[in-house]
Amino acid sequence: MGAELVELLEEDFLEMDQAETANLPATIQIVSDDEFERTATGAVEAFSGTLLFRMKTGEGLDACHVATAFVDEAGERHFVILTQSVAGGELRVEAASKSENPVASIIPAYADVLETFAAAA
């Protein structure tokens, strides 16, 4: 599944309904931190990826949940960014290299820091 996802993400973004990614009811309007974490984790596990970090950007109903992950394909990491409005809607998964979200630019550096810490431990 990882290779197919990488190809799809290189072409465009992928939108996943909450119910498809975490068996949550599709009628949820306000997405809590815990709900987003379950949805993002389910999506990342579905494409055999590794979740790096998650955060929330913005304020109120304009806020957006953001998570980052990578897929390892033949020793090459492909970074993805997952976003979902706090006000609900679909989970958007896209290649970090094609994303306009400013968080996408820090994903490779963050992954390198985690790798360095793991090696030092």
Side-chain angles (χ1 to χ4, degrees):
M1 172 99 183
E4 294 88 17
L5 178 71
V6 169
E7 288 178 28
L8 181 61
L9 291 174
E10 290 302 322
E11 292 173 15
D12 203 356
F13 66 88
L14 173 66
E15 290 185 351
M16 297 179 175
D17 184 89
Q18 283 179 313
E20 293 173 340
T21 58
N23 298 321
L24 296 175
T27 58
I28 293 176
Q29 293 190 3
I30 301 298
V31 180
S32 72
D33 292 345
D34 290 341
E35 290 164 337
F36 176 70
E37 182 176 12
R38 284 192 302 272
T39 301
T41 299
V44 170
E45 288 174 355
F47 58 75
S48 302
T50 301
L51 188 66
L52 293 170
F53 66 90
R54 66 179 176 82
M55 62 190 295
K56 191 182 325 180
T57 60
E59 300 277 336
L61 292 179
D62 292 329
C64 185
H65 293 287
V66 179
T68 63
F70 70 89
V71 177
D72 190 344
E73 183 181 30
E76 186 176 343
R77 288 188 286 187
H78 298 275
F79 298 104
V80 297
I81 188 164
L82 303 89
T83 56
Q84 184 174 34
S85 171
V86 168
E90 295 182 329
L91 177 69
R92 181 176 171 153
V93 182
E94 61 185 326
S97 61
K98 295 191 176 263
S99 177
E100 294 182 14
N101 190 310
V103 174
S105 65
I106 67 169
I107 299 171
Y110 187 86
D112 288 344
V113 167
L114 289 181
E115 190 174 274
T116 300
F117 283 155

